[in-house]
């Protein structure tokens, strides 16, 4: 398998399936395209991805693009990336899907940048609303499933929220200011301590 990804410091969408694939322990080739070069970046991505976007997974003759679709393909090939329990699996999928389609203000105001020095920034009310929703989502799932991850054991849902944890770190977001009584902050720290994220942050 080959996973085509963007610059590791910036590409949160690339990180998500990379973490899931790394979790499986399966061997894979990593191809990194440098982003933020306009047409040149797109020209280098297009031979790998019909959407012109990263990430893309090459699995034999099959090409799968889009982070969530790639993760679903991996889950089909490597059982264990979603919870075994059907109800927990449904909730984990809902959480991942909400991250995939939502929180646009947070993503826009706080782009992932692993190379940036941590700093506090002023955020809009729309971003505050996104953070409050994330705290509510995390709190509910952690309480319901008992942790240590959103649906108990680590799953694709946690891969989808790991870039969010990096944003909170980079932009000095204190989750206690948004209703967290402690578990969400601990969970965010836990995401950044997984071997998979440590490997990504170190360059693979």
């Amino acid at each position: 398998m080959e996973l085509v990804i963007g610059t590791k410091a910036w590409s949160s969408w690339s990180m998500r399936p990379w973490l899931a694939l790394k979790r499986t322990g399966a061997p894979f080739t990593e191809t990194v395209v440098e982003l933020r070069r306009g047409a040149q970046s797109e020209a280098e991505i297009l031979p790998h991805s019909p959407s012109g976007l990263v990430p893309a997974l090459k699995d034999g003759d099959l090409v799968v693009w889009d982070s969530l679709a790639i993760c679903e393909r991996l889950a089909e090939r490597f059982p264990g990336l979603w919870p075994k329990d059907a109800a927990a699996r449904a909730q984990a999928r809902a959480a991942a899907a909400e991250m995939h389609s939502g929180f646009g203000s947070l993503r826009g105001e706080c782009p992932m940048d692993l190379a940036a020095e941590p700093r506090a920034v002023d955020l809009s009310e729309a971003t505050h609303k996104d953070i409050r929703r994330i705290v509510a989502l995390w709190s509910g799932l952690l309480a319901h499933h008992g942790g240590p991850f959103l649906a108990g054991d680590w799953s694709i849902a946690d891969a989808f929220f790991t870039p969010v944890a990096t944003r909170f770190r980079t932009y000095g977001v204190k989750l206690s200011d948004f209703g967290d009584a402690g578990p969400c902050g601990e969970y965010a720290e836990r995401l950044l301590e997984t071997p998979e994220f440590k490997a990504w942050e170190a360059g693979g």
Side-chain angles (χ1 to χ4, degrees):
M1 285 185 293
E2 178 185 1
L3 188 63
V4 182
I5 61 175
T7 307
K8 285 189 169 182
W10 304 327
S11 186
S12 60
W13 293 115
S14 295
M15 183 199 291
R16 293 173 168 106
W18 191 97
L19 294 176
L21 184 50
K22 194 76 170 176
R23 189 81 174 190
T24 70
F28 67 97
T29 300
E30 172 189 299
T31 299
V32 181
V33 177
E34 184 180 348
L35 302 180
R36 300 184 182 177
R37 294 176 299 147
Q40 185 175 350
S41 294
E42 185 176 358
E44 292 180 15
I45 294 169
L46 273 172
H48 304 286
S49 172
S51 69
L53 301 171
V54 288
L57 176 70
K58 296 180 178 181
D59 187 1
D61 293 332
L62 177 67
V63 177
V64 183
W65 60 99
D66 183 272
S67 297
L68 190 53
I70 293 169
C71 286
E72 290 288 7
R73 170 62 178 174
L74 295 175
E76 290 174 348
R77 289 203 54 186
F78 305 103
L81 291 176
W82 288 120
K84 290 182 180 180
D85 177 76
R89 187 166 61 250
Q91 289 185 320
R93 278 194 162 113
E98 185 173 357
M99 180 64 248
H100 189 255
S101 62
F103 308 116
S105 184
L106 174 66
R107 290 189 278 112
E109 285 191 30
C110 302
M112 191 178 84
D113 190 347
L114 299 183
E117 289 294 324
R119 62 197 185 279
V121 297
D122 292 328
L123 300 173
S124 68
E125 177 52 35
T127 297
H128 285 188
K129 182 179 179 181
D130 281 352
I131 298 170
R132 287 193 294 270
R133 170 56 192 151
I134 290 168
V135 167
L137 188 157
W138 287 3
S139 296
L141 290 177
L142 290 168
H144 183 74
H145 296 287
F149 295 101
L150 290 181
D153 293 333
W154 190 95
S155 75
I156 289 168
D158 303 293
F160 266 72
F161 280 102
T162 298
V164 175
T166 75
R167 288 174 161 99
F168 292 159
R169 180 181 67 180
T170 298
Y171 297 98
V173 175
K174 297 180 180 179
L175 297 182
S176 58
D177 294 339
F178 297 89
D180 175 36
C184 294
E186 294 169 2
Y187 168 67
E189 292 177 3
R190 199 173 298 124
L191 291 177
L192 302 185
E193 290 297 324
T194 63
E196 294 79 19
F197 175 73
K198 289 291 190 183
W200 173 277
E201 192 172 36

